[in-house]
Amino acid sequence: MILFHIDDSGNTGAKLDHDVEPIHWLVAVGIDESLVRDVDRGIYLTCCRHFGTSATSHMDFEVKGSELFSGRGCAQGMAPAGRIACYEELLSLLAPYHGRIFSRGINKRGLAIRQARTGLAPGHPYDRGFQYLVERINDWLASPTVSALGLIVADEQQEVERRMIHQFNQWTHIGTTTGYRAREITHLLPSLHYVRSVDSRLVQMADCVAFLRNRVAKINGNPKTASDREVLRLWTTHCAPLVVDDRVWP
């Protein structure tokens, strides 16, 4: 079985005309169940090296990609070089443990335009992004080269999680209902788990990957600062080679 931990970036709720965050990204990091404990321990040891006792003694300690890059939260007071080193050490755990990355971006204005044509309310971008992400993960699991079952663990989403749990259960029995690729979800267990990111180091890893994916899209191949260049280097070195599926809709 493969465990997929999901987090997002660029979430502005139902506000679809946001200039700073035009795309809502959902990212899943897949790790085989036999290797999850090793990755979790690797994250734990990395945090111990960079943050000392706060990583072990504070029950609210967590690593967030945006805080590592900005020097806020857990990374407050850390020098930029130390923050980048920590970020890189975390991401470098993915390849040795055969991590796989799936990402789905929902262009918020595009969603609003598409739905306006149908006369329907656009809803929350997370709903559509989550469905499309699940479909792609299911396709990969069902492929002859993989042929495995999966389980999804996602960062809590108070706005939508009850609806998503209900819909996900339906998808595993009667299939998804929107989009031209609607299909029954056959290779994911019909049990969707939402947890607080502070309680899951693997969800925190997904957050770090999601933050980078969002920044890469904003840079759009034109880095203007040292921070931009580091983002592209980290993504290209540690994430891009592990990407199975990466799309923006519409």
Side-chain angles (χ1 to χ4, degrees):
M1 184 183 299
I2 300 174
L3 273 64
F4 296 89
H5 289 79
I6 295 177
D7 208 341
D8 62 350
S9 183
N11 188 346
T12 57
K15 182 176 175 56
L16 303 182
D17 58 350
H18 203 282
D19 292 328
V20 178
E21 299 291 353
I23 298 176
H24 187 148
W25 289 96
L26 284 86
V27 168
V29 175
I31 303 287
D32 188 273
E33 62 174 333
S34 65
L35 301 174
V36 164
R37 285 179 59 85
D38 294 326
V39 177
D40 183 86
R41 180 161 178 77
I43 298 171
Y44 172 78
L45 293 176
T46 297
C47 290
C48 288
R49 281 191 289 273
H50 288 273
F51 302 105
T53 57
S54 64
T56 58
S57 61
H58 296 170
M59 65 180 181
D60 291 329
F61 176 87
E62 67 175 312
V63 174
K64 289 181 173 292
S66 61
E67 293 180 352
L68 272 180
F69 254 86
S70 64
R72 296 180 291 110
C74 68
Q76 187 170 0
M78 287 180 68
R83 290 188 270 117
I84 295 299
C86 179
Y87 215 127
E88 184 151 30
E89 196 170 329
L90 289 169
L91 295 176
S92 68
L93 292 167
L94 292 174
Y97 293 107
H98 312 294
R100 293 293 181 267
I101 294 172
F102 296 75
S103 67
R104 175 63 66 172
I106 300 297
N107 184 297
K108 299 170 188 176
R109 285 194 171 91
L111 171 63
I113 292 169
R114 283 288 190 97
Q115 293 302 93
R117 291 173 183 167
T118 67
L120 300 174
H124 200 296
Y126 185 98
D127 293 35
R128 193 173 296 261
F130 184 77
Q131 176 190 323
Y132 292 165
L133 189 67
V134 164
E135 289 174 347
R136 292 298 181 180
I137 291 173
N138 184 78
D139 288 351
W140 180 71
L141 289 169
S143 65
T145 56
V146 180
S147 189
L149 291 175
L151 177 70
I152 288 183
V153 181
D155 185 23
E156 65 177 358
Q157 297 285 338
Q158 294 182 359
E159 292 177 90
V160 301
E161 66 181 55
R162 282 299 304 150
R163 182 168 69 252
M164 287 295 95
I165 290 171
H166 172 72
Q167 289 185 359
F168 182 78
N169 185 269
Q170 294 292 97
W171 296 341
T172 61
H173 294 288
I174 63 174
T176 54
T177 57
T178 60
Y180 77 98
R181 292 176 59 86
R183 85 292 310 269
E184 184 179 349
I185 303 303
T186 57
H187 281 65
L188 285 164
L189 295 184
S191 181
L192 171 59
H193 299 271
Y194 277 103
V195 301
R196 298 193 312 156
S197 59
V198 70
D199 296 324
S200 171
R201 281 184 278 269
L202 271 297
V203 168
Q204 293 170 39
M205 175 71 86
D207 175 89
C208 289
V209 177
F211 172 78
L212 280 187
R213 185 64 191 91
N214 190 357
R215 281 287 303 270
V216 167
K218 292 176 181 177
I219 293 168
N220 195 26
N222 184 28
K224 295 182 173 64
T225 66
S227 177
D228 288 348
R229 290 188 287 274
E230 284 297 331
V231 165
L232 292 178
R233 183 184 68 81
L234 289 174
W235 177 264
T236 302
T237 303
H238 299 289
C239 298
L242 308 179
V243 170
V244 177
D245 192 81
D246 177 57
R247 305 174 189 226
V248 177
W249 183 93

